[in-house]
Amino acid sequence: MLRLFQLIAFVLLVPTVAILTLQAKHRDDDGPSLAFAGGPLMAGPVYRGPEPDWNIIAADTIELQIDATQTSHRVRVLPVNGRLYIASGYMGGVLRRIIPHWAILAQQGNGDALIRVNGVRYPRTLVRVTEGTALEGVVSVLNRKFNENVTRQSIVLGNIWVYELTPRGAGR
Amino acid sequence: MKWTTYIFLCAIVCAVMVLGIYFVPPFGNAIERLLLPFLS
């Protein structure tokens, strides 16, 4: 019995220490790692110019800095009709309430953010999308690009959170 | 296993892992990839 308890404690201890160590190691990095948040995005020129056509993004993820928390996160990117959206799933899950997640952190402050795509930083404002015709496109890209089985209803009900990355200052 | 031996072993394993993550980047990356399915 003691040996079993010791084994269980060991199996729990090792991944916990690994997660905490990786979290601490990446906390001040320039950008996020695969799974852990990093510090502010520092490298790369800041883009100033006309709004790019975001349909050309081939990558599945981009780096997102949330200005209010000065943290950066790797997020799934969804270009829809030349506009840029990011999405986060399982928002109804218990873990999302325990571990600070970028989609929840993004609600802090005024929504100012910075993204880095191909080494170039773009100032953006995060606007949460819960309704409207854009959702059809978002659902379609989510299902096609990430092999998901998402419906519009899951976004409306809050299981999936979608943000549009609008140009900084637009619509204010 | 005696508790003292057990705690000593746990401390050694954790110390090696922490040092590996910090100072051997491929090791840290491998651990992160292992954990990725459980974290995303």
Side-chain angles (χ1 to χ4, degrees), chain A residues 2 5-6 9-10 13-14 17-18 21-22 24-26 33-36, chain B residues 1-3 6 10 13-14 17-18 21-22 28 31-33 35-36 39:
Chain A
L2 177 69
F5 176 77
Q6 286 179 336
F10 184 79
L13 175 77
V14 171
V17 170
T21 308
L22 285 163
K25 180 178 184 272
H26 292 300
S33 70
L34 273 177
F36 294 93
Chain B
M1 192 187 295
K2 276 169 41 179
W3 275 109
Y6 174 74
C10 285
V13 170
C14 288
M17 194 169 59
V18 169
I21 287 171
Y22 265 96
I31 297 276
E32 190 166 344
R33 281 178 193 282
L35 292 170
L36 196 60
L39 296 169

Side-chain angles (χ1 to χ4, degrees), chain A residues 73-124:
Chain A
H73 309 263
R74 192 165 295 282
V75 297
R76 294 195 296 182
V77 64
L78 314 160
V80 179
N81 299 328
R83 298 168 82 154
L84 209 53
Y85 297 86
I86 52 177
S88 172
Y90 309 111
M91 291 310 291
V94 179
L95 262 183
R96 289 287 186 257
R97 272 173 245 146
I98 300 169
I99 302 169
H101 190 256
W102 70 259
I104 293 164
L105 296 176
Q107 293 194 313
Q108 296 179 15
N110 56 3
D112 280 354
L114 197 66
I115 57 169
R116 185 161 58 194
V117 181
N118 298 328
V120 180
R121 294 178 297 161
Y122 300 81
R124 300 273 113 183

Side-chain angles (χ1 to χ4, degrees), chain B residues 5-27:
Chain B
T5 314
Y6 174 74
I7 289 168
F8 180 72
L9 272 177
C10 285
I12 292 283
V13 170
C14 288
V16 168
M17 194 169 59
V18 169
L19 290 173
I21 287 171
Y22 265 96
F23 298 110
V24 188
F27 178 75

Side-chain angles (χ1 to χ4, degrees), chain A residues 57-80:
Chain A
I57 287 190
D60 288 343
T61 60
I62 57 169
E63 295 168 298
L64 166 79
Q65 173 193 312
I66 297 167
D67 284 7
T69 56
Q70 289 292 298
T71 53
S72 58
H73 309 263
R74 192 165 295 282
V75 297
R76 294 195 296 182
V77 64
L78 314 160
V80 179

